[in-house]
Amino acid sequence: MWLIHSSIGRKLVMSISGIVLLVFLLFHLSMNVAAVFSAEAYNTICALLGANWYAVAATVALVGIIALHFAYAAMITLQNRKARGNDRYAVNTRPKGVSWASQNMFVIGIIVIGFMILHLSQFWYKMMFAELLGHHEVTLGNGSVNPQDGAAFIRYYFSHLWVVIAYLIWYVALWFHLTHGIWSAIQTIGWSNRVWLKRWKTIGNIVATLIFLGFAFVTLFFYAKSLCGGSC
């Protein structure tokens, strides 16, 4: 099948799955920003995305897309290394116009996936998965909360400095991944040309930066709030 064996097919699958994940990131960011302004609004969204059939189906689809994206990234990386042969061991300076992110996309992707596992263990596992198991309360710190009380999870985890630092590292890795991935995906699909390539790179940098700043803001906001006992 050409989507597996063809270089263009592999890149096309990578691009389409990447764009789908980008849309999810923007949706997730809008949810998190809502938590800053209203815990009730955030919890309402969490209730809608709880153990409902459509939310579970979307989660399964999302996991499949992430796995597909990572698998094709691995195939493309191995293909490129095989094509370079012994040249990959040579000490070369980075070619002009080639970003550091583009040369290290797979490594950055592994970092992103690694921290995603941390995120899932802290939130999804104790929220949607707990609901699926029929739990009406889950342990959080020294107490227990309803799995749909997403605001409580955000307040708890982002009150720990090591968690905040870990998430900020994740956001930086995500920023590097997106600054190359967005325009590269658009180019692979064919929605680009010589004029629009520079524009898409600029748009990609702007979108990646907004996503980074948005997630970082939410994380630092709740950490700062924890320092003053929630009174500020």
Side-chain angles (χ1 to χ4, degrees):
M1 188 176 179
W2 74 276
L3 288 177
I4 299 177
H5 302 292
S6 167
S7 176
I8 297 177
R10 291 174 181 174
K11 290 181 178 179
L12 183 61
V13 172
M14 271 278 292
S15 300
I16 295 175
S17 60
I19 290 175
V20 173
L21 294 176
L22 174 63
V23 172
F24 170 75
L25 269 178
L26 293 171
F27 169 73
H28 199 331
L29 175 59
S30 65
M31 278 184 59
N32 286 18
V33 171
V36 172
F37 299 98
S38 172
E40 291 75 16
Y42 183 74
N43 285 344
T44 298
I45 298 173
C46 290
L48 290 173
L49 300 178
N52 303 298
W53 70 267
Y54 50 84
V56 174
T59 301
V60 172
L62 182 64
V63 171
I65 293 171
I66 293 173
L68 188 69
H69 191 75
F70 185 78
Y72 271 77
M75 285 192 290
I76 292 173
T77 299
L78 292 174
Q79 178 188 14
N80 292 340
R81 288 188 176 183
K82 184 177 180 181
R84 288 197 301 268
N86 292 329
D87 290 343
R88 69 178 183 273
Y89 297 108
V91 178
N92 297 314
T93 57
R94 189 167 68 245
K96 184 179 180 181
V98 176
S99 67
W100 178 86
S102 66
Q103 287 192 315
N104 297 276
M105 282 293 282
F106 188 69
V107 175
I108 295 172
I110 291 177
I111 295 174
V112 171
I113 292 293
F115 278 101
M116 189 179 297
I117 294 173
L118 171 65
H119 178 66
L120 291 175
S121 67
Q122 292 177 333
F123 290 88
W124 178 83
Y125 178 74
K126 292 187 175 182
M127 295 178 71
M128 178 184 284
F129 187 71
E131 279 194 78
L132 290 174
L133 294 179
H135 296 162
H136 299 291
E137 285 191 345
V138 293
T139 302
L140 190 63
N142 296 324
S144 59
V145 298
N146 189 294
Q148 293 184 353
D149 190 357
F153 285 89
I154 290 181
R155 287 193 300 267
Y156 174 75
Y157 284 114
F158 290 163
S159 67
H160 296 77
L161 182 59
W162 77 267
V163 175
V164 172
I165 293 174
Y167 272 77
L168 291 176
I169 293 173
W170 183 25
Y171 303 150
V172 171
L174 189 61
W175 181 86
F176 277 113
H177 196 75
L178 292 175
T179 53
H180 173 76
I182 293 176
W183 70 261
S184 180
I186 297 297
Q187 184 183 44
T188 299
I189 293 175
W191 297 345
S192 181
N193 52 41
R194 288 185 177 181
V195 175
W196 270 94
L197 181 58
K198 290 184 177 180
R199 295 176 182 176
W200 280 120
K201 285 185 177 181
T202 300
I203 293 172
N205 288 339
I206 292 173
V207 172
T209 301
L210 289 175
I211 290 174
F212 166 78
L213 291 176
F215 280 118
F217 167 72
V218 173
T219 301
L220 293 173
F221 173 85
F222 281 100
Y223 178 68
K225 197 170 183 179
S226 70
L227 294 178
C228 55
S231 59
C232 56

